[in-house]
Amino acid sequence: MSAPHLFRLPKDADLLTALETICLERDINHASIALIGALTRASLGFYLQDERRYVSHDVDKPLEILSGIGNVSLKEGRPFVHLHLSLSDDTGAALGGHAMPGCRVFAAEAAIQPAEGPNRHRVYDEATGLFLWA
Ligand code: ZN
């Protein structure tokens, strides 16, 4: 197994965009991701299973990233990052969800571990309304 790629993400970057840019530049199409750090704001999604759509809520304050865990696979031929976040605020209260565009990095350290085996491709899944691995 190859070693994980370790990165510090730039301050003020959009979290998902920064991760997808790294994957594109390094030709990483199939991997797991783990990250920690802090955000200046977050946008967290929740999938309404009955309505088959995401709702998101914005949290406009500094947050610690207790745990960011996710994966990289191909969607429409490009690396796509699927990431979930556990965060805490200045009281220690935790919140979390599916990372949406709009999570702004204060500081973050990410480990991207390329996976073995064939690339995973996301395709539309009728049963859930989501783009899942084929
Ligand atoms: Zn998700």
Side-chain angles (χ1 to χ4, degrees):
M1 180 181 284
S2 57
H5 298 251
L6 300 176
F7 301 95
R8 184 171 72 85
L9 304 181
K11 187 174 184 298
D12 297 326
D14 180 90
L15 181 61
L16 291 175
T17 301
L19 291 168
E20 287 177 350
T21 298
I22 288 168
C23 292
L24 207 53
E25 288 173 354
R26 306 267 177 141
D27 198 29
I28 300 170
N29 297 320
H30 185 207
S32 58
I33 296 177
L35 65 91
I36 56 172
L39 301 174
T40 56
R41 69 178 307 283
S43 186
L44 299 169
F46 182 87
Y47 190 67
L48 298 174
Q49 297 175 9
D50 291 341
E51 297 181 30
R52 295 175 161 229
R53 66 182 178 91
Y54 278 95
V55 289
S56 65
H57 63 277
D58 295 338
V59 186
D60 282 307
K61 60 182 178 181
L63 298 155
E64 291 288 324
I65 303 172
L66 307 178
S67 176
I69 189 162
N71 56 57
V72 183
S73 56
L74 290 169
K75 183 178 176 187
E76 294 165 350
R78 290 172 58 91
F80 174 84
V81 171
H82 183 196
L83 184 73
H84 286 197
L85 294 170
S86 296
L87 306 171
S88 71
D89 67 12
D90 62 353
T91 72
L95 66 160
H98 174 102
M100 304 290 276
C103 295
R104 192 173 308 127
V105 172
F106 179 74
E109 298 166 346
I112 301 178
Q113 173 70 63
E116 295 181 343
N119 284 337
R120 293 284 183 171
H121 296 262
R122 290 190 177 276
V123 296
Y124 184 74
D125 176 63
E126 288 286 348
T128 62
L130 292 166
F131 283 82
L132 301 176
W133 291 339

